[in-house]
Amino acid sequence: MGNFLKYTFASLIGTLLGLGVLFGVTIGGAILLVVAATNSDGEPKIEPKSVLVLDLSVAITESQPVVSTAEALSEALAERDTPLSIGLRRVTQSIVKAAQDDRIVALYIQGSTGSTSNGWATLKEVRAAIEEFRASGKKIFAYDMDWSENEYYLASAANPIVINPQGMLEINGFASEGMFFAGALQKYGIGVQVTRVGKYKSAVEPFLLTQRSAENRQQTQQLLNDLWGDFLGTVAQHRQVKPPQIQAIANQGGILWAAEARDRGLVDKVAYFDDVLEELKQLAGSEKGTFQQISLPTYASTVLKPAQPAQNSNDSPQITVIFADGEIVDGQGTIRQVGGDRLARELRTARLDEKIKAVVLRVNSPGGSATASEVISREVELTAAVKPVVVSMGNFAASGGYWISTNGTKIFAQPNTVTGSIGVFGILFNLQKLSNDNGITWDAVKTAPYADLETSSRPKTPQELAINQRMVDRIYDRFLEIVATGRKLPKASVAQIAQGRVWSGQEAKKLGLVDEIGGLQQAILAAAELAKLGDNWQIQDAPKQRRLEERLLEKLLGVRSLDTGVSSGGAINPLIAEFEELQELTQILSSLNDPKGVYSRLPYQFKID
C-alpha cells in the first residue's frame, strides 16, 4: 500500500505541475517556490578553511544529464534512490580550481556504500585532476569502510588513505563475465541466424554459443591485461609498493582486512569515521561539532558559473563540445542514446556557425546502428573539412563509436579506453518452433521469392542468408574504407587490425587508430591550437546545460553530509543485479532499429569487474 501511495503521489505531482503550465505557472516557478520556502539562505557561500568533498556515490557522466522535471520527481519519490550525477568536465575543473582556491584547505574523498560505478577512462581523468590538487601541497583525505578497486584507483592519490578497522580492501583483479542465452533460446524454440564479418566480432555469441569463442577469449584477455596494467601502475605511484607486489596480493586472494592493507602499505591509517572527522576539524581550525565543508556539485555550481558576457563577447571565437554518449540508434534517439539524425544536426549546426572555430566530439559509445553511424560520420567529415574536429574518447569508443570518430582531425583516448572493434553483424531471430509448438502457423502469399525476406515466422533460407551476408560485407568494406581514409592507413593494414577486435587506448595508439593519449581537457586544448585561437576563446557545451528548474530540483534532493556519514544509496542485492542485467539487455535489444538490420557494436553487457 505504501508503494502504491508513493507512486500515485509521484504521478499526482507530475500531473499538477503539468496543469500548472496550462494555467500560466511554469514548472520552474513551482519548484522555485519550494526552494524559496526551504532554502532562504540564497546561494551557497564558500567559507574560509573549507574542505571540498568528492562523494564517490555521485555518478560522473559525460555531460550534465538532461532529464525532465517529472522524471526527477518520480525518481526522488521512488523507493530506490537514483544516485545524483555531475558532468565529468565539471568534476575535473572544480578539483583543479580548488587546488588554487585559498578558501579550500583540503580535498576529502568519501567512499561509497552504493552501487555507482564509473568507467575506467572517466576515473583516469578525475585521477589526473586529483594529482594536480595533490601537487598544490594541499591535503587529500580518503576514507571508506571497504575500498573497492575503482574507488581505490582515485583514493590511491590521497595522503592519507584511511580504512575502517572492520573494513576490507579489494584488489583481486579484473574480470569480464558474459551471459549466454543459446541454451534458453533453443529450449523455448526461438531460432537465431547471424551474418557477420570479423572473427573477433563477438556481439552475436551470447545468442549462438554457451561460452566464449577462442577469439573472443583472446581479445578480452588482452584488453583486461592492458587495463589491469594501467591500474597497477597508477595505484602504485604514491604507495611504497611495486606493481608485482600488488599482483601477488591479487594472486593470493585479493581481499585484505584493514590491518593487512595498512601493513602492506596500501593504506596509511586504520581509523573510524569520527577519527577522520576530528582530523578534518583540526585542519579546518573548527572548534564546533563539525567543520566547513562544501560538496563538489555545490562548489562547481558556485565557481564554474558562466561569467557575465561582455558586449563584444559575440565576436569571441568558440570551441563547442558535442557529446555522443550512449547506444547509437537510427533517428532522434532518447536522452540516453546517440540518435544519428540528432547528433548529425548538432554537428551541422556547429559547422555552419561562424563563431564556432573548432569542435570537440566526446565519444562514449559501444556503437549500435551502422546506418546511424554512417550519418554521423559524414557530418564529422564535412565539419572537419572546414574547422578542426578533435575526438576525445571516453570509456568506450568502439564499433559504431569508432566509426563516428575516425574522420576526426585528431583523436585522443585514455590508455584504458576500449576502442576499435571494427566489424559489423546482423542478427535474425525467428519464432517458428516456439509458435508451432503452441499451435500457431503462418501461410504467406507473395509476388516475388524474397518478398517476405524480413519475416520472423521462419528461418532464412541459404539464399536469403547470402543476401544478408552481402549487405553485411558491403557495410564492413565501407567501415574499412572510412578508417583507412580517416586515419591515412593502407586499407590492407586496417583489415589486419579490424576483424571486430577490441583494443585498449594504449594499443590503439601503437596501431595508428588514435593519435594521442589524453583526456577531454587535452582534446580541448588541441582544438584551440589547431584552430590557432591563442588564448582568446570560449567553451560552449552542446546540448546546453539543464534548465534552471531541473538544477533547483537537484538541490532539493541534496547531497550526502559528512556530519552523519549517511549514504545516498545501498548495495544492490545480487539477485536483483542479475535481473537488472537481463532488463538492460532487453532495453538494448529494443534499441536495435537500424533500417538494414546491420550493426557495429561491442558485445552486449560488456562489463569489467
Side-chain angles (χ1 to χ4, degrees), residues 176 200-207 216 219-220 223 326-328 364-369 394-402 417-425 479 500-504 585 588-589 592 599-608:
S176 180
Y200 294 99
K201 199 64 185 173
S202 56
V204 297
E205 289 187 0
F207 309 105
N216 187 11
Q219 69 168 345
T220 304
L223 179 65
E327 188 95 7
I328 298 176
N364 185 50
S365 173
S369 166
N395 299 310
F396 297 96
S399 291
Y402 187 74
T417 294
V418 178
T419 187
S421 193
I422 302 167
V424 296
F425 69 90
F479 201 166
R501 180 162 183 176
V502 294
W503 304 96
S504 65
L585 178 64
I588 290 172
L589 292 178
L592 298 180
Y599 303 92
S600 181
R601 196 198 188 282
L602 275 180
Y604 303 105
Q605 301 173 300
F606 185 89
K607 290 194 252 183
I608 298 170

Side-chain angles (χ1 to χ4, degrees), residues 214-229:
E215 293 82 4
N216 187 11
R217 181 171 294 277
Q218 175 195 356
Q219 69 168 345
T220 304
Q221 186 67 63
Q222 181 60 54
L223 179 65
L224 291 178
N225 289 346
D226 290 345
L227 271 59
W228 178 241

Side-chain angles (χ1 to χ4, degrees), residues 312-313 315-319 357 528 532-538:
N312 62 347
S313 65
D315 298 327
S316 299
Q318 295 178 350
I319 297 173
K357 304 301 182 183
K532 299 182 173 61
L533 299 183
D535 297 326
N536 179 34
W537 47 274
Q538 297 178 340

Side-chain angles (χ1 to χ4, degrees), residues 225-515:
N225 289 346
D226 290 345
L227 271 59
W228 178 241
D230 175 77
F231 175 87
L232 294 176
T234 300
V235 301
Q237 186 176 348
H238 299 301
R239 302 281 94 203
Q240 298 300 313
V241 292
K242 301 296 183 184
Q245 293 172 285
I246 302 176
Q247 181 67 57
I249 293 171
N251 294 345
Q252 294 162 8
I255 303 295
L256 298 177
W257 289 101
E260 294 175 317
R262 179 196 57 203
D263 295 343
R264 297 287 190 99
L266 295 177
V267 303
D268 300 295
K269 293 183 180 179
V270 176
Y272 290 101
F273 181 67
D274 53 284
D275 297 324
V276 176
L277 289 181
E278 285 300 320
E279 287 197 54
L280 290 171
K281 283 168 58 179
Q282 292 177 15
L283 183 65
S286 173
E287 298 179 357
K288 302 176 183 178
T290 183
F291 57 92
Q292 295 296 339
Q293 57 183 274
I294 185 167
S295 71
L296 193 141
T298 304
Y299 182 78
S301 69
T302 304
V303 301
L304 299 182
K305 290 191 300 185
Q308 292 297 323
Q311 291 186 351
N312 62 347
S313 65
N314 287 338
D315 298 327
S316 299
Q318 295 178 350
I319 297 173
T320 187
V321 182
I322 296 176
F323 296 91
D325 186 18
E327 188 95 7
I328 298 176
V329 299
D330 196 46
Q332 298 298 314
T334 66
I335 290 170
R336 296 172 178 83
Q337 294 174 329
V338 181
D341 293 344
R342 176 183 56 78
L343 190 64
R345 184 172 61 251
E346 289 180 14
L347 287 162
R348 188 159 52 250
T349 299
R351 171 163 55 89
L352 298 176
D353 190 335
E354 294 183 357
K355 296 191 297 293
I356 295 174
K357 304 301 182 183
V359 174
V360 173
L361 178 61
R362 175 69 173 187
V363 180
N364 185 50
S365 173
S369 166
T371 298
S373 299
E374 175 68 10
V375 169
I376 297 168
S377 177
R378 174 61 176 168
E379 286 299 330
V380 173
E381 180 184 12
L382 293 173
T383 306
V386 296
K387 59 188 67 173
V389 177
V390 179
V391 175
S392 171
M393 293 180 169
N395 299 310
F396 297 96
S399 291
Y402 187 74
W403 189 318
I404 68 176
S405 302
T406 191
N407 278 324
T409 311
K410 198 168 192 176
I411 300 177
F412 282 78
Q414 292 288 12
N416 46 13
T417 294
V418 178
T419 187
S421 193
I422 302 167
V424 296
F425 69 90
I427 185 164
L428 310 165
F429 292 100
N430 75 81
L431 306 176
Q432 185 183 62
K433 188 176 187 305
L434 174 64
S435 302
N436 291 171
D437 288 348
N438 289 276
I440 301 172
T441 58
W442 285 270
D443 186 18
V445 178
K446 47 192 178 182
T447 61
Y450 303 112
D452 61 342
L453 182 65
E454 297 179 2
T455 183
S456 60
S457 66
R458 59 173 176 78
K460 299 293 183 283
T461 67
Q463 294 79 12
E464 289 170 330
L465 282 175
I467 292 172
N468 279 278
Q469 186 64 53
R470 283 198 298 272
M471 188 186 308
V472 167
D473 290 343
R474 178 164 183 164
I475 292 174
Y476 178 67
D477 190 68
R478 170 61 181 158
F479 201 166
L480 295 179
E481 182 181 298
I482 65 168
V483 173
T485 303
R487 304 306 302 151
K488 298 180 175 55
L489 295 170
K491 192 173 179 180
S493 299
V494 175
Q496 289 180 351
I497 59 176
Q499 297 293 320
R501 180 162 183 176
V502 294
W503 304 96
S504 65
Q506 66 186 40
E507 287 300 311
K509 184 176 185 301
K510 296 175 185 176
L511 297 170
L513 295 177
V514 304
D515 297 298

Side-chain angles (χ1 to χ4, degrees), residues 73-95:
L73 280 170
S74 296
E75 290 175 351
L77 294 170
E79 183 168 328
R80 186 168 156 200
D81 292 336
T82 300
L84 297 177
S85 59
I86 182 172
L88 172 60
R89 196 155 63 86
R90 290 178 70 80
V91 172
T92 56
Q93 285 181 314
S94 296
I95 295 173

Side-chain angles (χ1 to χ4, degrees), residues 139-167:
K139 203 86 168 175
I140 303 175
F141 283 81
Y143 171 83
D144 201 357
M145 169 66 81
D146 300 308
W147 285 111
S148 63
E149 283 161 332
N150 62 342
E151 292 175 334
Y152 186 72
Y153 189 77
L154 297 182
S156 60
N159 53 344
I161 307 173
V162 187
I163 189 170
N164 186 282
Q166 301 305 313

